[in-house]
């Protein structure tokens, strides 16, 4: 039986650096059983790649809006991603 996976590249903007957003996002992703990564960008945004079931990716896209205490999310933009390979875990990329 083959399970279909959804994959999204996400850009989160607002007050999302210096507030533990990446660690929070990793914890949320692991709770949902997602794989992928999250990283800070030079422009002050946070980028992520999330891969998992439709329900899990949908939940994570909603959760990105809340963020950890101290964050202030102004926008979450997601686009479908094509994958050459699926990561085996969810990590913070530096």
């Amino acid at each position: 039986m083959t399970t279909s996976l959804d994959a999204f590249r996400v850009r989160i903007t607002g007050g999302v650096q210096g507030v533990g957003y990446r660690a929070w996002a990793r914890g949320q992703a692991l709770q949902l059983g997602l794989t992928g990564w999250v990283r800070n960008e030079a422009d002050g945004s946070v980028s992520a790649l999330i891969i998992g079931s439709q329900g899990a990716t949908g939940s994570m896209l909603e959760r990105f809006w809340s963020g950890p205490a101290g964050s202030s999310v102004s926008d979450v933009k997601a686009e479908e991603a094509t994958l050459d390979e699926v990561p085996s875990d969810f990590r913070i990329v530096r």
Side-chain angles (χ1 to χ4, degrees), residues 48-68:
L49 173 67
I50 59 170
I51 304 156
S53 70
Q54 182 178 18
T57 56
S59 292
M60 189 66 191
L61 290 172
E62 290 176 16
R63 291 181 187 191
F64 277 133
W65 281 98
S66 59

Side-chain angles (χ1 to χ4, degrees), residues 9-16 21 24 43-48 60-67 71-79:
R9 290 197 184 273
V10 187
R11 183 172 182 260
I12 305 103
T13 57
V16 293
Y21 198 96
W24 171 86
D43 67 0
S45 67
V46 169
S47 293
M60 189 66 191
L61 290 172
E62 290 176 16
R63 291 181 187 191
F64 277 133
W65 281 98
S66 59
S71 68
S72 175
V73 176
S74 59
D75 197 20
V76 175
K77 290 191 192 291
E79 62 182 40

Side-chain angles (χ1 to χ4, degrees), residues 12-37:
I12 305 103
T13 57
V16 293
Q17 287 193 17
V19 294
Y21 198 96
R22 291 176 301 158
W24 171 86
R26 182 177 184 272
Q28 297 296 307
L30 292 174
Q31 282 180 5
L32 292 167
L34 297 172
T35 62
W37 50 260

